[in-house]
Amino acid sequence: MKPCELCPRRCRVDRVNRFGFCGANENLRVALVSLHKWEEPCLVGENGAGTIFFAHCNLRCVYCQNFSISHGGFGAEISIERLAEIFLEQQNRGASNVELVTPTHYTDKICAAIDIAKSRGLKLPIVWNSNAYENVETLELLRGRVDIFLPDLKYVDDDAAQKFSAAPNYFNIATAAIEKMFELVGAAQIVDGQMIRGMIVRHLILPNFRHDAMKIVDRLHENFGDEIFISLMNQYTPLYRASEHKKISRTLTTFEYQSVVEHATEIGVKNCFVQIGKTADKKFIPNFDLSGV
C-alpha cells in the first residue's frame, strides 16, 4: 500500500500517512459483523451468511444504500489478528460462509487474516462481495483464499458509470475482473443447496436502464453460460443523493424489472435469481452499529 495500487484508480498514495481515493488509510475499519439472511438462498443456509461490512469504498455511487460506511467511513479500526478472530467467531455462530463486503481496498490485510484463520481451523467458504471495479493483479492474491465471488456488474454505459459512481471505464474494467474471478474459482458448485465454490454476478437494475440490464445479461450468458449464477435485483431505492439525478430518482417499475427477467429467460439463462415482492424498502438495509466488531 505504499504506494497503493490495489484498485484500478492506482492513486499511488502512501496510505500509511495519507488517505486514498477510497477514503481509507492503512488500518482495517469494520462497521458491522452479522448473520445476514437477505442474500441469495445458496449463500444463506440455516443461520445466514457471515457478513463483515468494511468501511470506505473505491466507488462514489450517488444511490449507495450503505453510504454512512462507504462514503462516511463509519466503523471501528481493528487489527489483522482481530479480523482473523472474527472469521472464526462467524464459524462458531453457525454462519454458512464468511462474506467480505466491499473488501477491495483492504485486500492485502484480508489475505493475511484469511491465512491466520485457516491455520486455526477456519473451514467456511470465503465470499468476496465487491463492486467488480478491481485490478486483475490484486485479484490474483485471492487465488486459493477466496472460494466464491459475488461481484456487482453495475453499468454498460460509461457515461452512467462516471455520472453515478465516478468510475471511468467501468464496464471494461469490471468485465475483465469478473473473467479473472471465474478463472480463480471455476464453475459453480452447489452441495445440499449451498454454494461452496463459484460465482454469482449481481446486477441492480436502475430505473430507465432496462436495456442496459439486458446487455449485461447477454454478455454474462455469452461468456459463462450456466457455469455461473446471475442475480437480477429489483430492490433499487433512491437513497443518498439519487434525488439529484432525475433518471434514477424513483424506484423500478414492475414492467422494467419483468422485461429484463423475461429477456434472460428468452435467451436461455437457467441459473438466475430473481426477487419477488416489494424489496425497495429501507428495512432491508443493515443497521451499522459496530455489532460483532
Side-chain angles (χ1 to χ4, degrees):
M1 294 201 299
K2 192 170 62 172
C4 185
E5 295 190 358
L6 286 175
C7 90
R9 298 192 185 276
R10 300 185 187 275
C11 54
R12 297 184 59 81
V13 302
D14 173 3
R15 282 174 51 190
V16 174
N17 298 302
R18 294 176 56 197
F19 298 100
F21 177 94
C22 60
N25 61 13
E26 66 165 338
N27 299 312
L28 290 160
R29 184 175 286 269
V30 175
L32 177 66
V33 176
S34 64
L35 295 177
H36 195 48
K37 296 190 176 183
W38 299 110
E39 305 291 61
E40 287 76 5
C42 65
L43 297 178
V44 171
E46 292 185 7
N47 299 315
T51 47
I52 300 166
F53 289 85
F54 293 94
H56 302 297
C57 182
N58 67 339
L59 294 188
R60 289 290 181 269
C61 298
V62 297
Y63 51 83
C64 181
Q65 69 173 25
N66 298 342
F67 62 87
S68 64
I69 67 171
S70 62
H71 296 205
F74 175 79
E77 288 191 356
I78 63 170
S79 66
I80 293 171
E81 178 78 17
R82 175 59 190 145
L83 184 60
E85 290 175 354
I86 289 171
F87 295 164
L88 294 167
E89 288 167 5
Q90 290 290 64
Q91 180 167 272
N92 291 337
R93 293 185 184 106
S96 59
N97 49 55
V98 170
E99 183 178 338
L100 309 166
V101 185
T102 319
T104 304
H105 46 293
Y106 297 122
T107 299
D108 53 343
K109 289 178 167 52
I110 290 172
C111 286
I114 290 172
D115 293 347
I116 292 170
K118 286 187 174 181
S119 73
R120 297 178 182 174
L122 181 68
K123 303 297 184 185
L124 295 180
I126 304 292
V127 181
W128 191 262
N129 178 342
S130 81
N131 56 38
Y133 202 55
E134 309 234 36
N135 285 336
V136 294
E137 307 96 319
T138 300
L139 290 170
E140 178 63 31
L141 298 173
L142 306 178
R143 186 183 294 274
R145 292 184 168 106
V146 167
D147 306 285
I148 299 167
F149 284 100
L150 183 62
D152 294 325
L153 186 50
K154 293 178 177 292
Y155 308 101
V156 169
D157 184 272
D158 273 335
D159 289 339
Q162 180 63 41
K163 185 174 184 179
F164 302 139
S165 295
N169 199 27
Y170 175 86
F171 184 69
N172 289 334
I173 288 171
T175 51
I178 287 170
E179 288 169 5
K180 178 65 174 180
M181 293 173 185
F182 183 76
E183 176 203 323
L184 292 175
V185 296
Q189 299 177 34
I190 307 289
V191 175
D192 296 329
Q194 293 298 290
M195 181 174 280
I196 60 169
R197 193 169 181 84
M199 182 163 64
I200 304 171
V201 181
R202 289 174 166 174
H203 177 61
L204 175 65
I205 302 169
L206 299 177
N208 291 302
F209 282 90
R210 67 188 182 93
H211 292 295
D212 288 62
M214 292 177 190
K215 291 177 183 177
I216 283 174
V217 172
D218 289 342
R219 175 65 174 263
L220 292 172
H221 190 57
E222 288 166 6
N223 282 14
F224 305 109
D226 294 318
E227 293 191 296
I228 69 166
F229 282 79
I230 299 173
S231 183
L232 295 174
M233 307 172 76
N234 71 350
Q235 68 190 53
Y236 174 78
T237 308
L239 296 170
Y240 192 40
R241 294 173 46 217
S243 62
E244 300 172 14
H245 301 269
K246 185 176 179 181
K247 290 188 76 171
I248 60 169
S249 62
R250 61 169 174 83
T251 56
L252 204 64
T253 67
T254 300
F255 167 75
E256 286 173 314
Y257 184 66
Q258 286 304 126
S259 66
V260 179
V261 173
E262 288 169 7
H263 177 76
T265 302
E266 288 168 1
I267 67 171
V269 174
K270 293 183 174 63
N271 292 338
C272 186
F273 292 104
V274 298
Q275 291 181 314
I276 297 172
K278 181 177 172 55
T279 60
D281 195 312
K282 292 181 181 179
K283 72 180 182 182
F284 295 111
I285 300 173
N287 180 24
F288 300 114
D289 61 0
L290 301 181
S291 293
V293 179

